[in-house]
């Protein structure tokens, strides 16, 4: 039992020397070497981080440019079909008006499908709707007894939105204010 209770220092003097040297504080030169090594590792990591950041920025810019460049590709592909149908209609020399009308109707259906695919929606206000300056453009004012002043009287040209952004406002006629006419008549 006494052999088991003995410390390693007394059993093996070489091991005792090694543990003693490990616990001694490092010299100033050793610390400087270690600091230089750690600074080198830190600088290397910084350079790698900067390079990675630059690569990410470059890839993001390339993807953004590709997105802008090909944003209309889906819609353009749909428009090719419409163009093909219109060209075929112009080449038709049969003189059959009903067939021509049916072909134009089919072409319009393809165009409407393309609009749905790309989320293009019509702005088509009805008579009596309040004028919305964000979606409507008043082209003229007319007298209309059955519609309140400033409201839509008729639609001249449909407007369109794409993803809730106005591509073209609806062009409308609006009702004149009746009160303004009464004061003009009284002034005469």
């Amino acid at each position: 039992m006494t052999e088991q209770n003995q410390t390693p220092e007394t059993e093996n003097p070489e091991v005792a020397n090694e543990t003693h040297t490990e616990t001694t504080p490092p010299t100033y030169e050793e610390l400087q070497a270690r600091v230089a090594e750690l600074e080198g590792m830190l600088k290397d990591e910084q350079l790698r981080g900067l390079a990675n950041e630059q690569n990410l920025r470059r890839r993001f810019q390339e993807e953004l440019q590709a997105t802008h460049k090909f944003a209309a590709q889906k819609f353009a592909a749909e428009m090719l079909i419409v163009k093909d149908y219109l060209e075929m209609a112009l080449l038709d020399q049969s003189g059959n008006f009903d067939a021509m009308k049916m072909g134009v109707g089919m072409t319009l259906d393809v165009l409407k499908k393309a609009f749905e695919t790309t989320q293009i929606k019509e702005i088509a206000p009805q008579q009596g709707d309040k004028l919305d300056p964000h979606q409507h453009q008043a082209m003229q004012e007319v007298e209309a007894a059955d519609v309140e002043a400033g409201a839509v009287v008729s639609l001249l040209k449909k407007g369109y939105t794409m993803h809730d952004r106005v591509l073209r406002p609806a062009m409308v006629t609006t009702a004149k204010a009746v009160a303004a006419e009464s004061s003009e008549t009284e002034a005469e």
Side-chain angles (χ1 to χ4, degrees):
M1 241 189 188
T2 55
E3 290 178 351
Q4 290 174 351
N5 289 343
Q6 290 179 347
T7 62
E9 293 176 332
T10 55
E11 286 181 11
N12 192 350
E14 291 175 14
V15 173
N17 269 347
E18 286 177 16
T19 47
H20 180 53
T21 55
E22 286 178 13
T23 58
T24 59
T27 65
Y28 180 73
E29 291 78 23
E30 291 173 340
L31 288 175
Q32 280 185 325
R34 181 68 178 147
V35 167
E37 178 185 346
L38 291 174
E39 284 176 346
M41 290 171 59
L42 180 63
K43 183 148 182 99
D44 186 50
E45 286 297 316
Q46 286 176 333
L47 291 174
R48 286 180 195 213
L50 287 173
N52 189 31
E53 186 179 332
Q54 287 174 345
N55 288 338
L56 287 174
R57 269 196 208 128
R58 181 185 48 78
R59 274 190 236 125
F60 174 74
Q61 287 297 327
E62 288 172 357
E63 287 177 19
L64 188 63
Q65 287 173 351
T67 300
H68 287 292
K69 187 176 182 179
F70 298 109
Q73 185 174 7
K74 186 176 186 180
F75 183 69
E78 298 283 339
M79 290 300 98
L80 294 176
I81 299 167
V82 173
K83 182 181 181 293
D84 292 342
Y85 286 170
L86 290 173
E87 287 174 345
M88 284 189 286
L90 289 174
L91 292 174
D92 182 18
Q93 299 294 320
S94 70
N96 186 346
F97 180 73
D98 290 334
M100 179 76 86
K101 187 174 178 181
M102 185 179 75
V104 171
M106 290 171 55
T107 303
L108 182 59
D109 290 341
V110 171
L111 182 62
K112 285 179 182 178
K113 182 180 175 246
F115 279 14
E116 286 175 16
T117 302
T118 55
Q119 296 185 11
I120 295 176
K121 297 178 184 169
E122 289 182 356
I123 303 172
Q126 301 297 313
Q127 182 177 0
D129 288 352
K130 185 177 178 185
L131 181 74
D132 180 355
H134 299 290
Q135 294 193 347
H136 309 142
Q137 181 176 357
M139 300 304 290
Q140 63 185 19
E141 285 186 320
V142 295
E143 293 180 14
D146 57 335
V147 180
E148 71 179 68
V152 174
V153 174
S154 65
L155 177 66
L156 300 173
K157 193 182 282 188
K158 292 178 185 176
Y160 294 92
T161 62
M162 182 175 185
H163 299 283
D164 299 324
R165 183 181 220 173
V166 175
L167 294 173
R168 180 179 78 195
M171 296 177 189
V172 297
T173 58
T174 57
K176 281 185 181 179
V178 178
E181 287 180 27
S182 314
S183 54
E184 288 176 10
T185 314
E186 290 173 10
E188 291 177 6

